């Protein structure tokens, strides 16, 4: 059942390539069961050679700790492969979960898909991953 913004309980995962970056769009909620599907989708993409990923949370209103673990695992795999994982479209409820879990500073976060794709396309250049949120995005949310 969808609300007026189009958010749904079951998680839908879609993927598209943009400028050499795999954009993974999520719609719904990233609960415990859905987190495993997300983990599989991200890990499979990385194993198949996609090391520059954007995960679009525009249509997500909830993420569980299992969902955060799936993201952390994928970010580590990307970094180990000299790639990067960037989040975008992070809603206030998802941002709050990231913040409370202490994960907000561990992911590059951009306000839009275009910005995230541009950031991911540049890549990580092999540096130790210590991603931080876009300053403009943090200022916008404060």
């Amino acid at each position: 059942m969808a609300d007026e913004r189009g958010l749904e309980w079951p998680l839908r995962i879609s993927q598209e390539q943009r400028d050499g970056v795999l954009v993974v769009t999520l719609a719904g909620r990233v609960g415990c069961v859905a987190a495993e599907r997300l983990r599989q989708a991200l890990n499979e993409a990385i194993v198949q050679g996609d090391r520059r990923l954007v995960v679009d949370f525009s249509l997500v209103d909830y993420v569980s700790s299992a969902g955060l673990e799936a993201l952390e695992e994928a970010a580590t795999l990307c970094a180990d492969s000299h790639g990067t994982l960037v989040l975008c479209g992070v809603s206030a409820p998802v941002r709050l979960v990231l913040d409370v879990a202490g994960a907000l500073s561990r992911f590059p976060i951009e306000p839009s898909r275009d910005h995230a794709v541009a950031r991911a396309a540049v890549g990580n250049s092999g540096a130790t991953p210590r991603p931080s949120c876009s300053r403009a995005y943090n200022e916008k949310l404060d």
Side-chain angles (χ1 to χ4, degrees):
M1 177 188 276
D3 72 3
E4 65 276 359
R5 295 170 295 163
L7 299 175
E8 298 180 2
W9 285 85
L11 182 67
R12 289 179 304 158
I13 302 171
S14 61
Q15 300 178 356
E16 69 174 285
Q17 286 285 338
R18 274 188 65 194
D19 300 327
V21 174
L22 180 67
V23 178
V24 178
T25 303
L26 309 177
R29 291 182 162 223
V30 186
C32 217
V33 172
E36 184 55 34
R37 289 184 46 233
L38 176 59
R39 178 188 320 275
Q40 290 173 355
L42 294 175
N43 289 352
E44 183 177 307
I46 296 164
V47 166
Q48 291 179 0
D50 289 304
R51 296 200 171 63
R52 293 188 172 138
L53 304 175
V54 167
V55 181
D56 187 342
F57 277 86
S58 298
L59 295 174
V60 173
D61 65 346
Y62 171 79
V63 62
S64 69
S65 60
L68 294 180
E69 289 174 14
L71 291 172
E72 296 255 4
E73 182 179 317
T76 299
L77 289 172
C78 284
D80 289 349
S81 302
H82 306 291
T84 190
L85 183 141
V86 180
L87 307 181
C88 72
V90 176
S91 64
V94 172
R95 184 179 189 276
L96 179 62
V97 170
L98 290 166
D99 191 21
V100 169
L104 193 59
S105 65
R106 293 195 298 268
F107 294 101
I109 300 176
E110 293 294 336
S112 72
R113 181 182 290 200
D114 290 340
H115 285 104
V117 168
R119 187 168 183 175
V122 171
N124 189 351
S125 72
T128 302
R130 292 283 176 229
S132 62
C133 295
S134 165
R135 194 163 98 190
Y137 183 60
N138 282 335
E139 290 170 0
K140 179 181 172 188
L141 292 173
D142 290 335

